[in-house]
Structure formats: structure tokens, C-alpha cells
Amino acid sequence: MSVRVFVPRDTTALSLGADAVARRLEREAQQRGLELTLVRNGSRGLAWLEPLVEVETPAGRVAYGPVAPSDVPALLDTGLLEGSDNHPLAQGLTEAIPYLARQQRLTFARIGVTDPLSIVDYLAHDGFRGLEAALTREPQDIVEEVKASGLRGRGGAAFPTGIKWQTVLDTPADQKYIVCNADEGDSGTFADRLAMECDPYMLIEGMAIAGLAVGATQGYIYLRSEYPLAKQVLDAAIARAEAAGYLGDDLRGSGRTFHLEVRLGAGAYICGEETSLLESLEGKRGLVRFKPPLPAIEGLFGRPTVVNNVLSLAAVPFILAEGAEAYANHGMGRSRGTLALQLAGNVKRGGLIELAFGTTLRTLMEDFGGGTASGRALRAVQVGGPLCAYLPESQWDMPLDYETFAEVGAGVGHGGVVMFDDSVDMAEQARFSMEFCKVESCGKCTPCRIGSTRGVEVIDRIRANQNRDANLALLGELCETMEDGSLCAMGGMTPFPVQSALKHFPDDFQRAPEGDRS
């Protein structure tokens, strides 16, 4: 009887040698006369254990990791195909690994479990139930369900998804669009990529439901060009969904239409901003648009457009399948549902952690992350991407939700959590924030374009002890100008990490850069 063995094929696992592990498994099995069925699943999101090999047993799937090709013979010798624990890489039952068992996976329940391109697998794990439910309901009913769930934009702005959908539904037009912002460019983030590479039908289903809700018949996934594997997976999944009737002119025999295509970005961080994204999607240079009009009223090609992040749209199938209350029962205050947190930077156990809003950074970094990879003490953490604040230890016990973080000038953003040990120079990090804005600004508005350039220069003067007090005051005024005068969040939020570094780590601005010290 053939034993099913799972080897992930997402970008992280592949970069760590998963293909070589799969080939070695097949070769060893053939040489030993073992019957083995190899399944290329998605990742479970436990990056520190990749490549994570799983074996199907009567008790459940048993995990081994991180596995190198050279480990395969010994694993087979010690009973890999029986799920034996007689090897140092044995992790026990996958679902019982504490890192995974402590999570509350709603959106990411299927990743690593299924073959990403198998519709049969997707259906067997509750796939397309949300779409089937949506096909029986009126558009307004669908929008009300999303409103009641409390779902807010997971791309960073946290705007209520149902309100945006209501605006598009209420705006008359001969053509409307659903645009998925898959231009995941924030430091330390990879949840969008995991969703697309490991469970692409979830995103397809969410976008089709959005189309039914607002009367849109065409969707586009705006994907960052640095995700070639996600492009391959999405293209293949869209083709299979069309063949099975889950996309196209006649969704499941309902007479309703929704078409979907993938479009690649060109490497510009600013195109993560929704209006710049729309400009790029139309074939223009990615410049930020003035608002109003809002994209929900005049968006892609001047038509009403829903622009949502991957994770916002990926949450919708669960909401339609299980009901708004099942989703809203997770979380706290106005932050409902779950948040996909991505542990990165100087961390011992990096990976994806999906939890209800309300956990703390200390829990994430210490209980899940296991502290720093270097073994040194943690000093700072940046949550939400390069435009969000650096947080000192005094702020690691706050509940992780939108409102609490906003009260202290921080942001949840897209859920990236980048950790720094006590060797970090926070003045250098502040400089990087300004330099990042300088490089990535679209250039349309002066506070962002010129302010970031001057910001780098001012921080360099401060670190060189050139009229330090006057330049510190100048930096504060510059940050205020950028925050109040910039056209979009690129320039408007760049001051946040700079100001937080100045506030919480002032001593770092009183010494010369490492290479300049005598």
C-alpha cells in the first residue's frame, strides 16, 4: 500500500532545497522498493522547520524538519514511512506542534494541508462553500454579511471592507471591477505570498464573491513581479477554476459572470498604494492620484472599483460559508476576526502566526519566535512595515489591535513583525526609513520627494555631531511637514519610524556611526 508523503513547494521551502528533498525521496524509495506517493503541498508557514516533510499515518500527519536531501536515507532507515519518532528531525503529529496548535487559523486553515492546485482537495476542505452560498443571495445581502463580520482592510489602512463594497454597489456603472492588491512589499511580510502559493482558490473564491456583491464582472490580481511562483500557481488555478465553472460567463450554472486575470507589477513599492496601483494597472507610471474621487466611485479606467488586499479577500469565503458571527466572535473591540502575523528579522523561529486580535508582541516574539536567532537580548521591533514605528520593550505587552496601537503612534499594517537584538543602531534604522522613502517615492508631491532626501542629510549631520541640537530640531520640523503635507501614506508615515527611534532610543543619535568611531 502506497504511503503519501508531503513535501512543500512554496517559495520558502524551494529556496531551502525542497525540490532536492523530493527527488531524493523518490530515488531512495525506488531503490528500496518502497511504495510512496509524493504530494507537493503548500507550506504550513513554519519557516524555521522548512523543508517540512509530512507522512500520512492512521493517527494523522507526522512531521519531520528541517529536512535536507542528505537526511533522507537515515529518515527512511528509522521508519519515516511509518511515522516513527526515532530521528532527531521528528516533530510528532503536525497539528500538535505547539507553534501551530496554539494558532487560530481561519483564513490559513488549508495551507500546507492540501495540494494547492487540486480543486478536489479544495472542495474536500470546505472550498467554494462561500461562493455557493453567495450565488443564492442578493448583492446587498452579501455586503451586509461582510459588514456584520467586522472585516477591515488587511493591507494596512484597516478601512471597513463592507463599507467600501457598499459604495461600489451603490454607484451605478456599466462596468465595475474587483482589484486585488497583491503587491506585498512591506519588510518582513509574506502572508499574501503564502495565501496565493498555498491556497490560490481561496483568493479566487473571495474575489468572485466580491464581484457578485457589487456587480463587478472582471477582476485583476496586481501581483508583485518578485513572486514568479505565485504567478505560475495563480495562472494555473484560474485556468482550472474556469474549466470547473467557478469562473467565467456562467458561474456554476447561475448565469452570473466573473472573469479573473493576473497582472504583474514592475517593482515599485509605491504601487502598493491603491491609486498608484490603478495607474500602473492602466499601463501608466505609478503615480499617486488625488482623492477625491475615491476608487470606489472612479477607480480602474474611471469605473467603480473595489481595491482590497489579498488577506481581506481571502477572509471572505469563511465569512460567507460560516456566517459573519463566526468570524466576528474572534478579536476585540473594533478589531474583529484574526490577523496573520509574520515573524521575521532576527528571530529564532520565524513564520506565519494567525491569531485573533488581542495577543501581545511579547507572546509572539518569545513564546512563538523563541527570541532572537543571535541569542542576544531583544531591543526593538517594527510592526506593520517600513512606514511604522519602532517599539521598545515597554510597549510589547499592549494588546495587538488597530486602536490600541494607533493610540501610541504605532501601526499594525500588514502584520509584519521584524525583530532587532541589542546590537542594532536605531539611528541607522531611522536613516534607513528616510532613505527608503527617498528611493521609493513616486515623486509627485514635494514633502515626500524632497523631504525624504533632506531627511537623510539631516540624520547624517546629527550622527556626525554637526550642530546636533539644531539639526535634531530641524528633523522634528521636517517630520511634521512630511506627515501633514504629503499626498499619501508614503511620505505621511515615513516620519513614524524616525520619530519613534528619536523618542525611545535617543542615545543612539548621540554617537557616531559604527564605522566612524575612533
Side-chain angles (χ1 to χ4, degrees):
M1 183 175 178
S2 183
V3 176
R4 293 213 301 168
V5 179
F6 300 80
V7 180
R9 54 157 305 207
D10 76 299
T11 295
T12 301
L14 292 180
S15 71
L16 294 168
D19 276 349
V21 171
R23 289 193 297 268
R24 187 68 183 269
L25 274 167
E26 289 185 312
R27 186 167 71 248
E28 288 286 335
Q30 186 177 24
Q31 291 172 354
R32 297 171 186 232
L34 302 172
E35 292 190 47
L36 177 154
T37 300
L38 191 66
V39 179
R40 301 307 300 272
N41 59 322
S43 170
R44 295 273 190 165
L46 282 60
W48 53 287
L49 287 177
E50 294 292 5
L52 183 72
V53 174
E54 297 181 71
V55 178
E56 194 170 65
T57 76
R61 278 157 63 167
V62 176
Y64 302 83
V67 176
S70 58
D71 295 319
V72 171
L75 282 165
L76 289 169
D77 290 341
T78 54
L80 171 76
L81 299 188
E82 292 78 43
S84 168
D85 61 358
N86 294 324
H87 192 281
L89 297 181
Q91 302 291 334
L93 291 171
T94 309
E95 300 288 346
I97 296 173
Y99 197 97
L100 191 59
R102 294 182 60 190
Q103 298 190 35
Q104 296 158 294
R105 289 199 168 178
L106 305 184
T107 301
F108 288 91
R110 276 180 297 267
I111 69 161
V113 177
T114 60
D115 173 348
L117 290 176
S118 170
I119 287 183
V120 172
D121 255 9
Y122 188 66
L123 290 168
H125 291 84
D126 296 327
F128 290 120
R129 283 181 54 215
L131 179 58
E132 297 285 3
L135 286 168
T136 67
R137 302 176 68 169
E138 293 298 316
Q140 186 63 57
D141 291 340
I142 301 172
V143 173
E144 292 300 333
E145 196 76 43
V146 174
K147 284 183 186 176
S149 73
L151 177 65
R152 294 163 71 178
R154 295 293 189 257
F159 188 82
T161 303
I163 299 298
K164 183 179 290 188
W165 288 19
Q166 186 71 64
T167 304
V168 177
L169 174 61
D170 292 343
T171 304
D174 57 351
Q175 178 67 60
K176 299 180 183 181
Y177 296 101
I178 307 296
V179 172
C180 173
N181 183 348
D183 192 50
E184 184 176 48
D186 283 349
S187 48
T189 58
F190 46 85
D192 288 355
R193 177 181 60 76
L194 282 175
M196 292 182 288
E197 292 179 355
C198 305
D199 198 7
Y201 295 116
M202 173 176 61
L203 176 57
I204 291 169
E205 183 179 3
M207 293 186 70
I209 293 170
L212 294 173
V214 304
T217 58
Q218 178 66 52
Y220 294 99
I221 300 172
Y222 185 89
L223 178 68
R224 70 184 312 221
S225 58
E226 296 89 342
Y227 284 175
L229 180 60
K231 173 73 160 59
Q232 295 172 19
V233 172
L234 287 169
D235 283 343
I238 287 169
R240 295 187 186 196
E242 287 174 344
Y246 292 104
L247 288 173
D249 291 324
D250 187 18
L251 297 181
R252 304 300 293 166
S254 67
R256 314 279 285 280
T257 298
F258 190 74
H259 295 276
L260 185 58
E261 299 175 37
V262 180
R263 289 287 182 267
L264 285 178
Y269 179 80
I270 193 62
C271 288
E273 193 278 334
E274 63 178 1
T275 64
S276 182
L277 182 156
L278 294 176
E279 289 287 290
S280 177
L281 196 54
E282 291 178 6
K284 305 169 188 174
R285 180 182 170 192
L287 293 175
V288 175
R289 295 177 181 176
F290 290 101
K291 291 189 273 190
L294 297 171
I297 296 171
E298 290 184 30
L300 186 63
F301 304 117
R303 301 292 193 273
T305 303
V306 168
V307 183
N308 278 142
N309 169 259
V310 171
L311 301 187
S312 307
L313 292 161
V316 170
F318 178 91
I319 293 167
L320 267 291
E322 303 297 334
E325 186 176 356
Y327 190 79
N329 280 342
H330 297 78
M332 59 178 288
R334 292 178 53 217
S335 301
R336 311 311 306 175
T338 57
L339 177 65
L341 296 148
Q342 301 125 84
L343 270 184
N346 193 335
V347 59
K348 185 177 181 180
R349 296 194 295 264
L352 176 84
I353 302 162
E354 185 180 1
L355 292 171
F357 285 93
T359 191
T360 68
L361 284 174
R362 195 180 301 278
T363 296
L364 283 173
M365 297 189 295
E366 296 180 358
D367 296 354
F368 283 92
T372 63
S374 64
R376 298 175 65 109
L378 273 165
R379 186 176 187 221
V381 57
Q382 187 176 39
V383 182
L387 305 182
C388 288
Y390 295 105
L391 305 179
E393 186 174 6
S394 61
Q395 295 180 333
W396 297 350
D397 294 308
M398 300 183 301
L400 233 170
D401 76 289
Y402 294 122
E403 279 66 45
T404 301
F405 267 52
E407 286 173 5
V408 297
V412 173
H414 186 45
V417 179
V418 180
M419 295 164 52
F420 301 87
D421 72 12
D422 60 5
S423 67
V424 68
D425 181 342
M426 295 308 297
E428 178 63 29
Q429 292 302 311
R431 184 189 190 281
F432 167 77
S433 299
M434 282 293 187
E435 186 175 34
F436 181 80
C437 182
K438 171 185 171 182
V439 172
E440 296 292 346
S441 172
C442 77
K444 188 166 185 175
C445 71
T446 302
C448 178
R449 182 183 72 249
I450 304 300
S452 55
T453 302
R454 297 289 89 85
V456 172
E457 296 168 356
V458 172
I459 292 174
D460 282 344
R461 291 199 295 270
I462 292 169
R463 301 179 77 203
N465 198 21
Q466 296 177 11
N467 202 3
R468 180 171 280 155
D469 290 344
N471 277 301
L472 282 168
L474 180 60
L475 182 59
E477 293 174 6
L478 180 62
C479 285
E480 184 178 335
T481 299
M482 291 179 68
E483 187 176 344
D484 294 340
S486 296
L487 184 57
C488 80
M490 182 79 226
M493 291 181 65
T494 290
F496 294 178
V498 177
Q499 291 165 328
S500 64
L502 284 165
K503 178 179 179 180
H504 300 298
F505 308 98
D507 291 348
D508 289 25
F509 292 84
Q510 302 299 320
R511 58 175 184 257
E514 188 72 35
D516 295 343
R517 295 175 195 168
S518 56

